[in-house]
Coordinates of all heavy atoms in Angstrom, one line a residue:
S543 N 14.7 -3.5 15.4 CA 15.2 -3.4 14.0 C 15.9 -4.7 13.7 O 16.1 -5.5 14.6 CB 16.2 -2.2 14.1 OG 17.3 -2.4 14.9
L544 N 16.1 -4.8 12.4 CA 16.6 -6.0 11.8 C 17.9 -5.8 11.1 O 18.0 -4.7 10.4 CB 15.6 -6.7 10.8 CG 16.0 -8.0 10.3 CD1 16.1 -9.1 11.3 CD2 14.9 -8.4 9.2
W545 N 18.9 -6.6 11.3 CA 20.3 -6.3 10.8 C 20.7 -7.5 9.9 O 20.3 -8.7 10.3 CB 21.3 -6.0 12.0 CG 20.9 -4.8 12.8 CD1 19.8 -4.8 13.6 CD2 21.7 -3.7 12.7 NE1 19.9 -3.5 14.2 CE2 20.9 -2.9 13.7 CE3 22.6 -3.1 12.1 CZ2 21.3 -1.6 14.0 CZ3 23.2 -1.9 12.4 CH2 22.5 -1.0 13.3
G546 N 21.5 -7.2 8.9 CA 22.0 -8.2 8.0 C 23.5 -8.0 7.8 O 24.0 -7.0 7.8
W547 N 24.1 -9.3 7.5 CA 25.6 -9.2 7.2 C 26.1 -10.5 6.7 O 25.4 -11.5 6.9 CB 26.5 -8.6 8.3 CG 26.6 -9.6 9.5 CD1 27.4 -10.7 9.7 CD2 25.7 -9.6 10.6 NE1 27.2 -11.3 11.0 CE2 26.0 -10.6 11.5 CE3 24.5 -8.7 11.0 CZ2 25.4 -10.9 12.7 CZ3 23.9 -9.1 12.1 CH2 24.4 -10.1 13.0
G548 N 27.3 -10.6 6.0 CA 27.7 -11.8 5.5 C 27.6 -12.0 4.1 O 27.2 -11.1 3.3
S549 N 27.5 -13.3 3.7 CA 27.2 -13.6 2.2 C 25.9 -13.1 1.8 O 25.0 -13.1 2.5 CB 27.3 -15.1 2.0 OG 27.0 -15.4 0.7
N550 N 25.8 -12.6 0.6 CA 24.5 -12.0 0.1 C 24.3 -12.3 -1.3 O 23.7 -11.6 -2.1 CB 24.6 -10.4 0.4 CG 23.2 -9.8 0.3 OD1 22.2 -10.3 0.7 ND2 23.2 -8.6 -0.2
R551 N 24.8 -13.5 -1.7 CA 24.7 -13.9 -3.1 C 23.3 -13.8 -3.7 O 23.1 -13.5 -4.9 CB 25.2 -15.3 -3.2 CG 25.3 -15.8 -4.6 CD 25.9 -17.2 -4.7 NE 24.9 -18.1 -4.1 CZ 24.0 -18.8 -5.0 NH1 23.8 -18.5 -6.1 NH2 23.2 -19.7 -4.4
C552 N 22.3 -14.1 -2.9 CA 21.0 -14.2 -3.4 C 20.1 -13.0 -2.8 O 18.9 -13.1 -2.9 CB 20.2 -15.5 -3.0 SG 21.2 -16.9 -3.7
G553 N 20.7 -12.0 -2.2 CA 20.0 -10.9 -1.6 C 19.4 -11.3 -0.3 O 18.5 -10.6 0.3
Q554 N 19.9 -12.3 0.5 CA 19.4 -12.8 1.7 C 19.5 -11.9 2.9 O 18.9 -12.0 4.0 CB 19.8 -14.1 2.0 CG 21.4 -14.3 2.3 CD 22.1 -14.7 1.1 OE1 21.9 -14.4 0.0 NE2 23.2 -15.5 1.3
N555 N 20.4 -10.7 2.7 CA 20.4 -9.9 3.7 C 19.4 -8.8 3.8 O 19.3 -8.0 4.6 CB 21.8 -9.1 3.6 CG 23.0 -10.1 4.0 OD1 22.8 -10.9 4.9 ND2 24.3 -9.7 3.6
G556 N 18.6 -8.7 2.6 CA 17.5 -7.9 2.6 C 17.8 -6.3 2.3 O 17.0 -5.5 2.6
L557 N 19.1 -6.2 1.9 CA 19.5 -4.8 1.8 C 19.3 -4.0 0.5 O 19.7 -3.0 0.1 CB 21.0 -4.7 2.2 CG 21.3 -5.0 3.7 CD1 22.7 -5.3 3.9 CD2 20.6 -4.0 4.6
G558 N 18.7 -4.8 -0.4 CA 18.4 -4.2 -1.8 C 19.4 -4.5 -2.9 O 19.4 -3.9 -3.9
D559 N 20.4 -5.4 -2.5 CA 21.4 -5.7 -3.5 C 22.0 -7.1 -3.2 O 21.5 -7.8 -2.5 CB 22.6 -4.6 -3.4 CG 23.3 -4.5 -2.0 OD1 23.3 -5.6 -1.3 OD2 23.7 -3.5 -1.6
V560 N 23.0 -7.4 -4.0 CA 23.7 -8.7 -3.7 C 25.2 -8.6 -3.3 O 26.0 -9.5 -3.6 CB 23.5 -9.7 -4.9 CG1 22.2 -10.0 -5.1 CG2 24.0 -9.0 -6.2
M561 N 25.5 -7.4 -2.7 CA 26.9 -7.2 -2.2 C 27.2 -7.9 -0.9 O 26.3 -7.7 -0.1 CB 27.1 -5.7 -2.2 CG 26.9 -5.0 -3.5 SD 28.2 -5.0 -4.6 CE 29.5 -4.3 -3.8
H562 N 28.2 -8.5 -0.7 CA 28.5 -9.1 0.5 C 28.8 -8.0 1.5 O 29.3 -6.9 1.2 CB 29.8 -10.1 0.5 CG 29.6 -11.2 -0.6 ND1 28.6 -12.1 -0.4 CD2 30.3 -11.6 -1.6 CE1 28.7 -12.9 -1.4 NE2 29.7 -12.6 -2.1
V563 N 28.4 -8.3 2.8 CA 28.5 -7.2 3.8 C 29.3 -7.7 4.9 O 29.0 -8.8 5.6 CB 27.0 -6.9 4.3 CG1 27.0 -5.7 5.4 CG2 26.1 -6.5 3.2
V564 N 30.3 -7.0 5.3 CA 31.4 -7.4 6.3 C 31.0 -6.8 7.7 O 31.7 -7.3 8.7 CB 32.8 -7.1 5.9 CG1 33.1 -7.9 4.6 CG2 33.0 -5.6 5.7
I565 N 30.1 -6.0 7.8 CA 29.7 -5.4 9.2 C 28.1 -5.5 9.3 O 27.4 -5.3 8.3 CB 30.2 -4.0 9.4 CG1 29.7 -3.1 8.3 CG2 31.8 -4.0 9.4 CD1 29.9 -1.6 8.7
P566 N 27.7 -5.7 10.4 CA 26.2 -5.6 10.6 C 25.5 -4.3 10.1 O 26.1 -3.3 10.4 CB 25.9 -5.8 12.1 CG 27.2 -6.5 12.6 CD 28.3 -5.9 11.7
T567 N 24.6 -4.5 9.2 CA 23.9 -3.3 8.6 C 22.4 -3.3 8.7 O 21.9 -4.4 8.5 CB 24.3 -3.3 7.1 OG1 25.7 -3.3 7.0 CG2 23.8 -2.1 6.4
Q568 N 21.8 -2.3 9.2 CA 20.4 -2.3 9.4 C 19.7 -2.4 8.1 O 19.9 -1.6 7.3 CB 20.0 -1.0 10.2 CG 18.5 -1.0 10.7 CD 18.2 0.1 11.7 OE1 19.0 1.0 11.9 NE2 17.0 0.0 12.1
I569 N 18.7 -3.2 8.2 CA 17.8 -3.4 7.0 C 16.6 -2.5 7.1 O 16.0 -2.5 8.1 CB 17.2 -4.9 7.0 CG1 18.4 -5.9 6.9 CG2 16.3 -5.1 5.8 CD1 18.0 -7.3 7.0
P570 N 16.5 -1.6 6.1 CA 15.4 -0.6 6.2 C 13.9 -1.0 6.2 O 13.7 -2.1 5.6 CB 15.6 0.3 5.0 CG 16.8 -0.2 4.3 CD 17.2 -1.5 4.9
N571 N 13.0 -0.4 6.8 CA 11.6 -0.7 6.8 C 11.3 -2.1 7.4 O 10.3 -2.8 6.9 CB 11.0 -0.6 5.4 CG 11.4 0.8 4.7 OD1 11.1 1.7 5.3 ND2 11.8 0.7 3.5
T572 N 12.0 -2.5 8.5 CA 11.7 -3.8 9.1 C 11.4 -3.5 10.7 O 11.4 -4.3 11.4 CB 12.9 -4.6 9.1 OG1 14.1 -3.9 9.6 CG2 13.1 -5.0 7.6
Q573 N 11.0 -2.4 10.9 CA 10.7 -2.0 12.4 C 9.6 -2.7 13.0 O 9.5 -2.8 14.2 CB 10.7 -0.4 12.5 CG 9.6 0.2 11.9 CD 9.9 0.7 10.4 OE1 10.9 0.3 9.9 NE2 9.0 1.4 9.8
N574 N 8.6 -3.2 12.2 CA 7.5 -3.9 12.7 C 7.6 -5.4 12.7 O 6.8 -6.1 13.0 CB 6.3 -3.6 11.8 CG 5.8 -2.1 12.0 OD1 5.9 -1.6 13.1 ND2 5.3 -1.6 11.0
F575 N 8.9 -5.9 12.4 CA 9.1 -7.3 12.3 C 9.3 -7.8 13.9 O 10.0 -7.2 14.7 CB 10.3 -7.6 11.6 CG 10.2 -7.7 10.1 CD1 9.0 -7.3 9.6 CD2 11.3 -8.0 9.4 CE1 8.9 -7.3 8.2 CE2 11.1 -7.9 7.9 CZ 9.9 -7.5 7.4
V576 N 8.6 -8.9 14.2 CA 8.6 -9.3 15.5 C 9.3 -10.7 15.7 O 9.6 -11.2 16.7 CB 7.2 -9.5 16.1 CG1 6.6 -8.1 16.3 CG2 6.3 -10.2 15.4
N577 N 9.4 -11.4 14.6 CA 10.1 -12.7 14.5 C 10.8 -13.0 13.2 O 10.2 -12.7 12.1 CB 9.1 -13.9 14.8 CG 9.6 -15.1 15.3 OD1 10.8 -15.4 15.3 ND2 8.8 -16.0 16.0
V578 N 11.9 -13.6 13.2 CA 12.7 -13.8 12.0 C 13.3 -15.2 12.0 O 13.9 -15.5 13.1 CB 13.7 -12.7 11.8 CG1 14.6 -12.9 10.5 CG2 13.1 -11.4 11.7
S579 N 13.4 -15.8 10.9 CA 14.1 -17.1 10.8 C 15.1 -16.9 9.5 O 14.6 -16.6 8.5 CB 13.1 -18.2 10.4 OG 13.8 -19.5 10.3
A580 N 16.3 -17.1 9.8 CA 17.2 -16.9 8.8 C 17.9 -18.3 8.4 O 18.4 -19.0 9.3 CB 18.3 -16.0 9.2
G581 N 17.9 -18.5 7.1 CA 18.7 -19.7 6.6 C 19.9 -19.4 5.9 O 20.4 -18.3 6.0
R582 N 20.5 -20.3 5.3 CA 21.8 -20.1 4.5 C 21.7 -19.0 3.4 O 22.5 -18.1 3.3 CB 22.3 -21.4 4.0 CG 23.6 -21.1 3.3 CD 24.2 -22.4 2.8 NE 25.3 -22.2 1.9 CZ 26.2 -23.0 1.6 NH1 26.1 -24.3 2.1 NH2 27.2 -22.7 0.9
E583 N 20.6 -19.0 2.6 CA 20.4 -18.1 1.5 C 19.0 -17.5 1.6 O 18.6 -16.9 0.5 CB 20.7 -18.9 0.2 CG 22.1 -19.3 0.1 CD 22.4 -19.9 -1.4 OE1 21.4 -20.4 -2.0 OE2 23.5 -19.8 -1.8
H584 N 18.4 -17.5 2.6 CA 16.9 -16.9 2.6 C 16.6 -16.6 4.1 O 17.2 -17.0 4.9 CB 15.9 -17.6 2.0 CG 15.5 -18.9 2.8 ND1 16.4 -20.1 2.7 CD2 14.5 -19.2 3.6 CE1 15.7 -20.9 3.6 NE2 14.6 -20.3 4.1
S585 N 15.6 -15.6 4.2 CA 15.1 -15.3 5.5 C 13.6 -15.1 5.4 O 13.2 -14.7 4.4 CB 15.7 -14.0 6.0 OG 17.1 -14.1 6.2
I586 N 12.9 -15.5 6.4 CA 11.4 -15.4 6.5 C 11.2 -14.4 7.9 O 11.8 -14.8 8.8 CB 10.7 -16.7 6.6 CG1 11.1 -17.5 5.5 CG2 9.2 -16.5 6.7 CD1 10.7 -17.2 4.1
A587 N 10.4 -13.4 7.7 CA 10.0 -12.7 8.9 C 8.5 -12.6 9.1 O 7.8 -12.7 8.1 CB 10.6 -11.3 8.7
L588 N 8.1 -12.3 10.4 CA 6.8 -12.1 10.6 C 6.7 -10.7 11.3 O 7.4 -10.4 12.2 CB 6.3 -13.2 11.7 CG 4.7 -13.2 11.9 CD1 3.9 -13.5 10.8 CD2 4.7 -14.2 13.1
D589 N 5.7 -9.9 10.8 CA 5.5 -8.6 11.4 C 4.3 -8.6 12.4 O 3.8 -9.6 12.6 CB 5.3 -7.5 10.3 CG 3.9 -7.6 9.6 OD1 3.0 -8.2 10.1 OD2 3.9 -6.9 8.5
S590 N 4.3 -7.4 13.1 CA 3.3 -7.3 14.2 C 1.8 -7.5 13.8 O 1.0 -7.8 14.7 CB 3.5 -6.1 14.9 OG 3.3 -4.9 14.1
S591 N 1.5 -7.4 12.5 CA 0.2 -7.5 12.1 C -0.2 -9.0 11.7 O -1.2 -9.3 11.4 CB -0.1 -6.6 10.9 OG 0.5 -7.0 9.8
G592 N 0.8 -9.9 11.7 CA 0.8 -11.2 11.3 C 1.0 -11.5 9.8 O 0.8 -12.7 9.4
S593 N 1.6 -10.5 9.2 CA 2.1 -10.8 7.7 C 3.4 -11.3 7.7 O 4.3 -11.1 8.5 CB 2.0 -9.5 7.0 OG 0.8 -8.9 6.8
A594 N 3.6 -12.3 6.7 CA 4.9 -13.0 6.6 C 5.6 -12.3 5.4 O 5.0 -11.9 4.4 CB 4.7 -14.5 6.2
W595 N 6.9 -12.2 5.5 CA 7.9 -11.5 4.6 C 9.0 -12.5 4.2 O 9.5 -13.2 5.2 CB 8.3 -10.2 5.1 CG 7.2 -9.3 5.4 CD1 6.4 -9.2 6.5 CD2 6.8 -8.2 4.6 NE1 5.5 -8.3 6.4 CE2 5.7 -7.5 5.4 CE3 7.3 -7.6 3.4 CZ2 5.1 -6.3 4.8 CZ3 6.7 -6.4 3.1 CH2 5.7 -5.8 3.7
A596 N 9.5 -12.5 3.0 CA 10.6 -13.4 2.7 C 11.5 -12.5 1.7 O 11.2 -11.6 1.1 CB 10.0 -14.5 1.8
F597 N 12.9 -13.0 1.8 CA 13.9 -12.5 0.9 C 15.0 -13.4 0.9 O 15.3 -14.2 1.7 CB 14.3 -11.0 1.4 CG 14.6 -10.9 2.9 CD1 15.8 -10.8 3.4 CD2 13.5 -10.7 3.8 CE1 16.1 -10.6 4.8 CE2 13.7 -10.5 5.2 CZ 15.0 -10.4 5.6
G598 N 15.7 -13.3 -0.3 CA 16.9 -14.2 -0.6 C 16.7 -15.1 -1.6 O 15.9 -14.9 -2.7
N599 N 17.2 -16.3 -1.6 CA 17.1 -17.4 -2.7 C 15.7 -17.9 -2.9 O 15.0 -18.3 -2.0 CB 18.1 -18.5 -2.2 CG 18.2 -19.5 -3.4 OD1 17.3 -19.7 -4.2 ND2 19.3 -20.3 -3.4
N600 N 15.2 -17.7 -4.1 CA 14.0 -18.2 -4.5 C 14.0 -19.0 -5.9 O 13.1 -18.9 -6.7 CB 13.0 -17.0 -4.6 CG 11.5 -17.5 -4.6 OD1 11.2 -18.3 -3.9 ND2 10.7 -16.8 -5.4
D601 N 15.1 -19.8 -6.0 CA 15.3 -20.4 -7.3 C 14.5 -21.7 -7.6 O 13.9 -22.2 -6.7 CB 16.8 -20.7 -7.5 CG 17.2 -21.8 -6.4 OD1 16.4 -22.3 -5.6 OD2 18.3 -22.2 -6.5
L602 N 14.3 -22.1 -8.8 CA 13.7 -23.2 -9.3 C 12.3 -23.5 -8.8 O 11.2 -23.5 -9.6 CB 14.6 -24.4 -9.3 CG 15.9 -24.2 -9.9 CD1 16.8 -25.4 -9.7 CD2 15.8 -24.0 -11.4
K603 N 12.2 -23.9 -7.6 CA 10.9 -24.3 -7.0 C 10.2 -23.3 -6.2 O 9.2 -23.6 -5.5 CB 11.1 -25.7 -6.1 CG 11.7 -26.8 -7.1 CD 11.9 -28.0 -6.2 CE 12.6 -29.0 -7.1 NZ 13.3 -30.1 -6.4
G604 N 10.7 -22.1 -6.2 CA 10.1 -21.0 -5.4 C 9.8 -21.2 -3.9 O 8.8 -21.0 -3.4
P605 N 10.9 -21.5 -3.2 CA 10.9 -21.7 -1.8 C 10.4 -20.7 -0.9 O 10.1 -20.9 0.2 CB 12.3 -22.2 -1.4 CG 13.2 -21.6 -2.4 CD 12.4 -21.5 -3.7
L606 N 10.4 -19.3 -1.3 CA 9.9 -18.3 -0.6 C 8.4 -18.1 -0.6 O 7.9 -17.4 0.1 CB 10.5 -17.0 -1.0 CG 12.0 -16.9 -1.0 CD1 12.5 -15.5 -1.4 CD2 12.6 -17.2 0.4
G607 N 7.7 -19.0 -1.5 CA 6.2 -18.9 -1.5 C 5.6 -17.6 -2.1 O 4.6 -17.2 -1.9
L608 N 6.5 -17.0 -3.0 CA 6.1 -15.7 -3.6 C 5.5 -15.9 -5.1 O 5.3 -14.9 -5.8 CB 7.3 -14.8 -3.8 CG 7.8 -14.4 -2.5 CD1 9.2 -13.5 -2.6 CD2 6.9 -13.5 -1.7
Q609 N 5.2 -17.1 -5.4 CA 4.6 -17.6 -6.7 C 5.3 -17.3 -7.9 O 4.8 -17.1 -9.0 CB 3.1 -16.8 -6.9 CG 2.3 -17.1 -5.7 CD 0.9 -16.4 -5.8 OE1 0.8 -15.5 -6.6 NE2 -0.1 -16.9 -5.2
D610 N 6.8 -17.3 -7.8 CA 7.7 -17.2 -8.9 C 9.0 -17.9 -8.5 O 9.0 -18.4 -7.4 CB 7.9 -15.7 -9.3 CG 8.4 -14.8 -8.1 OD1 9.1 -15.4 -7.3 OD2 8.3 -13.7 -8.3
A611 N 10.0 -17.8 -9.3 CA 11.3 -18.4 -9.0 C 12.4 -17.2 -9.2 O 13.3 -17.6 -10.0 CB 11.4 -19.6 -9.8
V612 N 12.3 -16.1 -8.6 CA 13.1 -15.1 -8.8 C 13.7 -14.6 -7.4 O 12.9 -14.5 -6.4 CB 12.5 -13.8 -9.5 CG1 13.4 -12.6 -9.6 CG2 11.8 -14.2 -10.7
H613 N 15.0 -14.5 -7.3 CA 15.6 -14.1 -6.0 C 15.0 -12.7 -5.6 O 14.7 -11.9 -6.5 CB 17.1 -14.0 -6.1 CG 17.8 -15.3 -6.3 ND1 17.3 -16.5 -5.9 CD2 19.0 -15.6 -7.0 CE1 18.2 -17.5 -6.4 NE2 19.2 -16.9 -7.0
V614 N 14.9 -12.5 -4.4 CA 14.4 -11.3 -3.8 C 15.3 -10.7 -2.8 O 15.8 -11.3 -1.9 CB 13.0 -11.5 -3.1 CG1 12.4 -10.2 -2.4 CG2 12.1 -12.2 -4.0
N615 N 15.9 -9.3 -3.1 CA 16.8 -8.8 -2.2 C 16.3 -7.7 -1.3 O 17.0 -7.0 -0.7 CB 18.0 -8.3 -3.2 CG 17.6 -7.2 -4.1 OD1 16.5 -6.5 -3.9 ND2 18.4 -6.9 -5.2
V616 N 14.9 -7.6 -1.1 CA 14.3 -6.8 0.0 C 13.2 -7.6 0.5 O 12.6 -8.5 -0.2 CB 13.9 -5.5 -0.6 CG1 14.9 -4.6 -1.1 CG2 12.8 -5.7 -1.8
P617 N 12.8 -7.4 1.8 CA 11.7 -8.1 2.4 C 10.5 -7.8 1.5 O 10.1 -6.8 1.1 CB 11.6 -7.5 3.7 CG 13.0 -7.1 4.0 CD 13.5 -6.5 2.8
T618 N 9.8 -9.0 1.0 CA 8.6 -9.1 0.2 C 7.5 -9.8 0.8 O 7.7 -11.0 1.3 CB 9.0 -9.6 -1.2 OG1 10.1 -8.8 -1.7 CG2 7.9 -9.5 -2.2
Q619 N 6.4 -9.2 0.9 CA 5.2 -9.8 1.7 C 4.8 -11.1 1.0 O 4.7 -11.1 -0.3 CB 4.1 -8.9 1.8 CG 3.0 -9.5 2.7 CD 1.9 -8.4 3.0 OE1 1.9 -7.4 2.4 NE2 1.0 -8.9 3.8
I620 N 4.5 -12.2 1.7 CA 4.0 -13.4 1.1 C 2.5 -13.3 1.2 O 1.9 -13.6 2.2 CB 4.6 -14.6 1.9 CG1 6.1 -14.7 2.0 CG2 4.0 -15.9 1.3 CD1 6.7 -15.7 2.9
T621 N 1.9 -12.9 0.3 CA 0.4 -12.5 0.3 C -0.4 -13.7 0.2 O -1.6 -13.6 0.7 CB 0.0 -11.6 -0.8 OG1 0.4 -12.3 -2.0 CG2 0.8 -10.3 -0.9
T622 N 0.0 -14.8 -0.2 CA -0.8 -16.1 -0.2 C -1.0 -16.6 1.2 O -2.0 -17.5 1.2 CB -0.1 -17.1 -1.0 OG1 1.2 -17.4 -0.7 CG2 -0.1 -16.7 -2.5
L623 N -0.3 -16.3 2.2 CA -0.4 -16.8 3.5 C -1.5 -16.1 4.3 O -2.0 -16.6 5.3 CB 0.9 -16.7 4.3 CG 1.9 -17.8 3.9 CD1 3.2 -17.5 4.8 CD2 1.4 -19.2 4.1
G624 N -1.8 -14.9 4.1 CA -2.8 -14.1 4.9 C -2.1 -13.8 6.2 O -0.9 -13.8 6.3
N625 N -2.9 -13.6 7.2 CA -2.4 -13.2 8.6 C -2.0 -14.5 9.4 O -2.8 -15.5 9.3 CB -3.3 -12.3 9.4 CG -3.3 -11.0 8.7 OD1 -2.4 -10.6 8.0 ND2 -4.2 -10.1 9.1
I626 N -0.9 -14.5 10.1 CA -0.4 -15.6 10.9 C -0.5 -15.2 12.4 O -0.1 -14.1 12.7 CB 1.0 -15.9 10.4 CG1 1.0 -16.4 9.1 CG2 1.5 -17.0 11.4 CD1 2.4 -16.6 8.5
E627 N -1.0 -16.0 13.1 CA -1.0 -15.7 14.6 C 0.0 -16.4 15.4 O 0.1 -17.7 15.3 CB -2.5 -16.2 15.3 CG -2.6 -15.7 16.6 CD -4.0 -16.1 17.1 OE1 -4.9 -16.2 16.5 OE2 -4.1 -16.3 18.4
M628 N 0.9 -15.8 16.1 CA 1.9 -16.4 16.9 C 1.3 -16.9 18.2 O 0.4 -16.3 18.9 CB 2.9 -15.5 17.2 CG 3.8 -15.0 16.0 SD 5.2 -13.8 16.4 CE 5.9 -14.4 17.9
I629 N 1.7 -18.2 18.6 CA 1.1 -18.7 19.8 C 2.3 -18.8 20.8 O 3.4 -19.1 20.5 CB 0.6 -20.1 19.5 CG1 -0.7 -20.0 18.6 CG2 0.1 -20.8 20.7 CD1 -1.2 -21.2 18.0

């Protein structure tokens, strides 16, 4: 399972809102995630099928790779990547 807490200004906790979280809270629908990288205002996850997911800050230049520049507060699949193989 995946858990989020702390600052959540851009939805980087993946909990569906932008409320700050003071205790670890389980992020729904992430049971298939096998690898996660968390930054200051965004997170990227890889699921067991090789799909990449992103959530959090996606301003101006679209750093999440979702083809727009809108913050995302729930894990959202990065469809342009296709499947990724972990080595």
Side-chain angles (χ1 to χ4, degrees):
S543 60
L544 186 61
W545 297 71
W547 64 92
S549 177
N550 195 33
R551 182 180 73 85
C552 301
Q554 65 264 38
N555 287 334
L557 296 168
D559 59 32
V560 292
M561 303 284 294
H562 299 307
V563 182
V564 297
I565 59 170
T567 304
Q568 189 170 6
I569 302 170
N571 305 315
T572 57
Q573 61 273 12
N574 291 326
F575 287 1
V576 295
N577 203 338
V578 177
S579 177
R582 179 179 174 157
E583 292 186 338
H584 71 282
S585 299
I586 306 292
L588 187 64
D589 71 18
S590 59
S591 71
S593 294
W595 299 75
F597 44 103
N599 187 334
N600 197 36
D601 64 1
L602 302 179
K603 298 177 183 161
L606 298 182
L608 298 172
Q609 301 180 341
D610 61 22
V612 178
H613 296 332
V614 178
N615 61 19
V616 295
T618 303
Q619 188 173 6
I620 307 172
T621 57
T622 56
L623 287 178
N625 286 346
I626 299 169
E627 183 177 334
M628 288 180 44
I629 298 175

